[in-house]
Amino acid sequence: MMHTLKIEPRLFSLKGFFWLCLFELLHSNSGSLSQELTVVVQAGDEARLPCRYQITSGTLKSYYIYWQKYNFDKQDLVVISYKNGEEVELEKDKSYKNRSKLEEQNLTLSIASVTVNDSGLYKCFAILETRLKGETSTRLSVIVPFSTPIILNNLSGEHCDSKNLTLMCLSHGGSSEPKMYGSINENPVNWTVTSNEIFGHFNITGTLQLNMTENILIQCSVHYLDFQVSSNYSLNMTKNCSEPTMPPLIPPFGIIISSGVILIFFLAMVMLVILQCYFHKRPTSSTTHQSLATDEMILEQSRRQTRSRLERSPL
């Protein structure tokens, strides 16, 4: 009796294990996958969500296929649906109009120009003759990309001698925590990084100090999740380091004016001397008038003397 009691539990445990294995086998063949996938894309890109269910019997025309998005306490949103092998536009939510499409070969959902509002849990359903044949879940995470880094320096133009250089690399706007990497002439460097978050968006700034002795190519990249943005910046040393040539000496403007005034004064003096000499050689009008008056008086006196002589002489 004791021996029998010990054997029966073993028989029952073997039967239970058998039925458990059969249940798991049947459940796995039903096409329902509870494992959730995560797809991460940047805002503005196209998101591709795999359904992970393959049509094994019949064709797409035999199935009712639809994707929907979980909408919290409200009714789930229909992203796309297919009946009898054709898309049913009336069932699609207006926020996905002209943006969602289904790849008929593998039931992958494509959403164009995604935004942060498209983030969430999406489910794919495959129904054959009112029976659910497959259900898969995919979580879409839409992140905002960082801006292209801007590299700044404390110098301007080209330089001949070595300089203590301070570089800054700035990027902003991303929705996930960033990291910064860089290189100088393809040699890795470590930026001194500071970052802050404002209303869910990150700003990142890196600084780097070095002694510039040659032409350099600076590379700065910002990494976030599986994405990155980068930019390059070059600084050149002056090739010809000889002494600068002096420009031809040009007299100051004041000296030119002074010289011109002196020349004009000299010419004026010369003109005055010439005029003075001219007027000294030519008799003045007063002297001329005086000589003419004297001549008339002498002539008149001569006339009077002749007249008196005539009067005195006898006829």
Side-chain angles (χ1 to χ4, degrees):
M1 191 71 178
M2 297 273 305
H3 181 68
T4 305
L5 289 173
K6 289 182 179 179
I7 293 175
E8 287 180 352
R10 291 182 180 179
L11 293 175
F12 282 119
S13 63
L14 290 174
K15 291 179 181 179
F17 178 77
F18 171 78
W19 285 110
L20 180 62
C21 292
L22 180 61
F23 174 80
E24 290 293 334
L25 180 62
L26 292 175
H27 185 268
S28 63
N29 289 335
S30 66
S32 177
L33 298 176
S34 59
Q35 184 180 5
E36 179 181 300
L37 292 181
T38 300
V39 175
V40 182
V41 296
Q42 296 188 107
D45 291 346
E46 180 184 62
R48 292 171 54 84
L49 311 182
C51 182
R52 294 176 292 150
Y53 174 78
Q54 294 183 350
I55 298 177
T56 57
S57 59
T59 61
L60 183 62
K61 293 183 178 181
S62 305
Y63 283 81
Y64 175 34
I65 306 292
Y66 69 96
W67 278 86
Q68 67 180 24
K69 179 189 176 186
Y70 177 66
N71 198 21
F72 301 100
D73 295 335
K74 301 179 181 179
Q75 184 178 359
D76 292 344
L77 305 178
V78 176
V79 182
I80 198 168
S81 62
Y82 265 71
K83 287 182 179 179
N84 300 323
E86 295 181 356
E87 182 179 354
V88 184
E89 284 286 346
L90 294 177
E91 294 183 356
K92 180 185 292 187
D93 186 80
K94 62 180 181 180
S95 61
Y96 293 98
K97 292 287 186 182
N98 301 321
R99 290 204 304 136
S100 63
K101 62 181 180 179
L102 185 73
E103 295 184 7
E104 299 181 1
Q105 296 81 5
N106 52 21
L107 308 183
T108 296
L109 171 66
S110 298
I111 306 175
S113 303
V114 295
T115 65
V116 175
N117 293 331
D118 291 324
S119 299
L121 182 63
Y122 291 76
K123 289 188 175 183
C124 172
F125 296 92
I127 300 175
L128 177 63
E129 298 177 354
T130 69
R131 293 182 59 186
L132 180 63
K133 304 296 291 184
E135 176 185 350
T136 62
S137 300
T138 304
R139 183 169 296 277
L140 174 62
S141 177
V142 180
I143 62 173
V144 179
F146 279 84
S147 64
T148 301
I150 300 175
I151 302 175
L152 305 174
N153 70 89
N154 62 334
L155 303 179
S156 60
E158 297 181 343
H159 306 276
C160 179
D161 53 350
S162 62
K163 295 289 183 180
N164 291 324
L165 184 63
T166 300
L167 299 172
M168 294 184 65
C169 180
L170 305 94
S171 182
H172 66 276
S175 59
S176 56
E177 190 170 357
K179 294 182 179 180
M180 182 175 289
Y181 301 92
S183 66
I184 301 291
N185 292 340
E186 298 184 355
N187 296 317
V189 293
N190 294 322
W191 295 87
T192 302
V193 177
T194 58
S195 63
N196 58 348
E197 181 184 2
I198 302 176
F199 300 113
H201 294 273
F202 289 86
N203 301 322
I204 185 169
T205 302
T207 57
L208 184 66
Q209 293 184 344
L210 70 154
N211 187 26
M212 180 180 172
T213 59
E214 60 180 350
N215 297 344
I216 58 175
L217 177 64
I218 306 120
Q219 191 265 342
C220 177
S221 60
V222 177
H223 295 236
Y224 51 103
L225 297 180
D226 294 330
F227 305 95
Q228 72 175 53
V229 288
S230 62
S231 61
N232 296 327
Y233 185 75
S234 61
L235 281 174
N236 297 325
M237 304 284 287
T238 303
K239 294 181 180 180
N240 185 9
C241 293
S242 59
E243 292 293 330
T245 57
M246 296 296 295
L249 294 177
I250 301 175
F253 187 68
I255 295 178
I256 296 176
I257 295 178
S258 301
S259 301
V261 171
I262 293 172
L263 180 61
I264 293 172
F265 180 76
F266 176 76
L267 292 175
M269 292 299 295
V270 172
M271 292 296 296
L272 287 175
V273 171
I274 294 173
L275 290 174
Q276 189 175 6
C277 293
Y278 173 77
F279 283 112
H280 272 293
K281 292 181 179 179
R282 182 180 177 183
T284 59
S285 59
S286 59
T287 305
T288 304
H289 289 305
Q290 185 177 2
S291 59
L292 290 175
T294 304
D295 292 340
E296 289 179 359
M297 290 176 63
I298 293 172
L299 181 59
E300 183 66 23
Q301 187 177 3
S302 177
R303 287 177 182 175
R304 286 179 182 178
Q305 289 178 356
T306 303
R307 190 179 301 167
S308 63
R309 287 175 183 175
L310 291 174
E311 290 177 355
R312 290 176 183 179
S313 61
L315 296 170

